[in-house]
Amino acid sequence: VHTRDPSKEPVTLRACFEHLNKTSRSFSTVIQELNPEMLVPIALFYLVLRGLDTIEDDMTIPLEKKEPLLRDFHKHMKIEGWTFKDSGPNERDRDLLVHFDDVTAELNKVDKKYYDIIEDITIKMSNGMADYAMNSEFNSDGIKTVPEYEKYCHYVAGLVGEGLTRLFVEGKYANPALLERMYLAESMGQFLQKTNIIRDVHEDFLDKRRFWPKDIWNKYVDKWEDMFDPRYRTQAVHCTSEMVLNALRHADECLFYMAGIREQSVFNFVAIPQTMAIATLELVFQNPAIFESHVKITKGDACSLMTRSTQNLQVACNVFREYARRIAKKNDPRDPNYLEISAACGKIEQFIETLFPSQ
Ligand code: PS7
Ligand code: MN
Ligand code: MN
Ligand code: MN
Ligand code: MN
Ligand code: MN
């Protein structure tokens, strides 16, 4: 459809797309399929936030350095030639920060109406990340309550949803009514972030990081380490059910949000990560493997989800319904969350029925 012509691009923009490919996550592909108007602003928005997240995730940067680095990131990204070379050697996207001058050079060319949105979200996210980094340092208990957990997800993902929505509306690719219902964009981000936090539980444990709120896991085990002890597998799986239940509650608002998208490439960009997320929730549900390894949906499933997320809302809804049914089928009456999971799956199906009545 829309194809870039790298030979006509400035070297710094070409470099930005190479950085995007090297981050090699699900997003880089869907971003590059975006329409020409949204392509560069959203690619740069991604690289800015990826750079910010690389600093947030880096446990080798002492907090007294990390805090100002995060809080001043919106100033750094304005400075032509700014780079950061002190990421830990094992940081996955270290190279992006070493060559961040490619990003700053291109950001300075972005239309002001888009730049201001990127800047505003960067300021809010970086301060939120800094607050949490400070808190986990001084309060070894980390995230305690569900509202605290959701506030963290707001900073690192809900705000991305807000920024993207403002960009889409500015470009006339989404219904402006979404601006008056920003909680829908928030749900889009929460759904992705919560799924990521559930799936990455073991990897984050090895990194000595915990995002699951104590008020949830402490109902099942006394100490966080017990979640990874094979003797407590049943409790850990039941705890996962409560986390999955909490995430599933966003599903209907995600579908409602997607109804507000007015252009195919933007629809694909928002829908693919969401269908991947519900498939991932189904994969982690009742699955003890998440406590010892990195689980991932298969290439085949990912492929079929891609196809089914790039048709229209009705097809995407069918994907949601299918996975909601699979979750309901796997649901175990011995699980303390059984009734609520069952109700949540039913609610998703009902919501889809109101959007697209059968017969
Ligand atoms: C600007 C496309 C579409 C309305 C880098 C996209 C980490 C789960 O933690 O690498 O490294 O394991 O898999 C994306 C809403 C955010 C939320 C967030 C910027 C959707 C930095 C993304 C993405 C809102 C904070 C995946 C939530 O990272 O995780 C652009 C609408 C970045 C979105 C982080 C995580 C994304 C995430 P990790 P990943
Ligand atoms: Mn992070
Ligand atoms: Mn990360
Ligand atoms: Mn993660
Ligand atoms: Mn991971
Ligand atoms: Mn990690």
Side-chain angles (χ1 to χ4, degrees), residues 36-68:
E37 176 74 10
M38 289 284 103
L39 175 66
V40 173
I42 290 180
L44 296 174
F45 188 26
Y46 180 87
L47 292 173
V48 164
L49 300 184
R50 179 52 66 205
L52 198 58
D53 185 53
T54 303
I55 294 169
E56 191 215 18
D57 289 356
D58 192 336
M59 295 316 209
T60 72
I61 306 173
L63 197 63
E64 62 272 20
K65 257 188 78 185
K66 187 188 274 194
E67 195 199 356

Side-chain angles (χ1 to χ4, degrees), residues 309-353:
S309 316
T310 52
Q311 323 262 319
N312 55 52
L313 183 62
Q314 188 163 4
V315 179
C317 281
N318 291 340
V319 173
F320 268 64
R321 178 164 46 209
E322 181 185 313
Y323 283 96
R325 282 182 184 160
R326 286 200 210 180
I327 291 170
K329 219 168 173 179
K330 260 210 236 174
N331 199 10
D332 181 344
R334 290 164 296 185
D335 191 314
N337 303 288
Y338 177 77
L339 284 178
E340 282 184 283
I341 298 260
S342 170
C345 292
K347 210 177 148 218
I348 296 170
E349 279 210 54
Q350 256 180 41
F351 181 77
I352 295 170
E353 186 61 31

Side-chain angles (χ1 to χ4, degrees), residues 91-246:
E91 221 39 57
R92 189 160 39 177
D93 298 310
R94 167 179 213 290
D95 202 50
L96 168 65
L97 289 169
V98 171
H99 298 279
F100 208 75
D101 49 340
D102 298 326
V103 181
T104 60
E106 289 305 313
L107 265 176
N108 281 331
K109 303 178 195 167
V110 169
D111 196 327
K112 190 176 184 305
K113 65 184 185 189
Y114 298 141
Y115 186 93
D116 288 347
I117 297 168
I118 297 173
E119 181 183 48
D120 178 51
I121 299 300
T122 302
I123 293 171
K124 290 173 178 159
M125 185 186 293
S126 59
N127 282 300
M129 283 175 165
D131 291 348
Y132 271 82
M134 302 288 285
N135 186 56
S136 60
E137 181 88 354
F138 298 122
N139 167 7
S140 58
D141 246 12
I143 294 174
K144 192 180 179 293
T145 66
V146 174
E148 264 171 61
Y149 169 61
E150 297 191 330
K151 195 171 174 195
Y152 177 77
C153 294
H154 165 72
Y155 285 132
V156 300
L159 284 171
V160 187
E162 179 193 318
L164 288 170
T165 304
R166 286 161 62 188
L167 291 170
F168 301 153
V169 171
E170 199 63 62
K172 301 196 163 57
Y173 300 111
N175 188 333
L178 288 179
L179 297 179
E180 266 81 69
R181 298 185 171 199
M182 215 36 110
Y183 59 90
L184 297 175
E186 178 72 30
S187 267
M188 291 286 282
Q190 294 267 336
F191 192 63
L192 298 187
Q193 189 64 30
K194 287 175 171 179
T195 301
N196 185 287
I197 283 173
I198 300 168
R199 188 201 60 188
D200 288 350
V201 68
H202 182 250
E203 174 186 298
D204 289 330
F205 175 66
L206 297 179
D207 289 345
K208 299 186 171 55
R209 312 179 77 198
R210 168 179 68 76
F211 300 103
W212 293 29
K214 187 174 185 188
D215 283 355
I216 290 185
W217 62 260
N218 207 24
K219 293 188 209 166
Y220 303 88
V221 291
D222 291 327
K223 301 187 305 299
W224 179 239
E225 309 83 79
D226 290 346
M227 293 282 289
F228 305 88
D229 182 333
R231 287 176 295 175
Y232 299 95
R233 274 297 119 90
T234 309
Q235 288 90 325
V237 165
H238 291 168
C239 180
T240 308
S241 302
E242 188 167 339
M243 293 292 289
V244 169
L245 169 65
N246 169 285

